[in-house]
Amino acid sequence: MQHQNKTDSGVRITHRASGATGESRTDRSQLTNKKLAFERLVESSKFRIWLNRRILEVLEGKTIDQKVDELMQSANLVVEGVDFESGKWVAI
C-alpha cells in the first residue's frame, strides 16, 4: 500500500468483556476501516464464544419465544400517548 504510511486511518476495536479485537489498516478512509474492524471483531471466535454465553445467560434456559413473552408482559411495559393539550407523554 503506497498510502499506508502517509495517513492515520488505521482502526483497532477491542471488546472489553470478551477481549476480542478487530482491526483494519487496508483503506485510506478511517470510516471504512472502522466498519471493517467491527466486522472482524464480530467474526472473531472470542467474541462469538462470549456472545453465545451471554445469550444463554439472558434466556435462562428458555426459548427465545418464551423469553420474549415473559418480557412483553404488561408489568414490564409502560404504554404512553401524547396529551394533545399539554403536548406531553402521559400513561394510558
Side-chain angles (χ1 to χ4, degrees), residues 29-41:
S29 164
Q30 192 172 47
L31 180 60
T32 302
N33 282 333
K34 186 175 182 181
K35 289 177 184 179
L36 289 168
F38 267 116
E39 288 174 10
R40 291 174 181 160
L41 170 74

Side-chain angles (χ1 to χ4, degrees), residues 55-73:
I55 289 170
L56 289 173
E57 288 173 16
V58 169
L59 290 178
E60 300 168 335
K62 300 173 184 152
T63 67
I64 292 174
D65 289 335
Q66 290 170 331
K67 191 64 178 180
V68 168
D69 289 342
E70 176 186 310
L71 295 173
M72 294 300 290
Q73 292 177 2

Side-chain angles (χ1 to χ4, degrees), residues 70-83:
E70 176 186 310
L71 295 173
M72 294 300 290
Q73 292 177 2
S74 60
N76 296 328
L77 302 174
V78 176
V79 180
E80 299 175 317
V82 176
D83 177 23

Side-chain angles (χ1 to χ4, degrees), residues 7-72:
T7 60
D8 293 328
S9 60
V11 176
R12 179 185 302 149
I13 302 169
T14 302
H15 184 252
R16 291 181 180 156
S18 66
T21 61
E23 69 177 64
S24 177
R25 295 180 274 157
T26 57
D27 200 273
R28 290 179 69 184
S29 164
Q30 192 172 47
L31 180 60
T32 302
N33 282 333
K34 186 175 182 181
K35 289 177 184 179
L36 289 168
F38 267 116
E39 288 174 10
R40 291 174 181 160
L41 170 74
V42 299
E43 291 170 355
S44 73
S45 60
K46 270 187 169 182
F47 183 79
R48 295 277 183 182
I49 291 168
W50 174 85
L51 181 61
N52 287 333
R53 287 181 180 164
R54 186 70 182 113
I55 289 170
L56 289 173
E57 288 173 16
V58 169
L59 290 178
E60 300 168 335
K62 300 173 184 152
T63 67
I64 292 174
D65 289 335
Q66 290 170 331
K67 191 64 178 180
V68 168
D69 289 342
E70 176 186 310
L71 295 173
M72 294 300 290

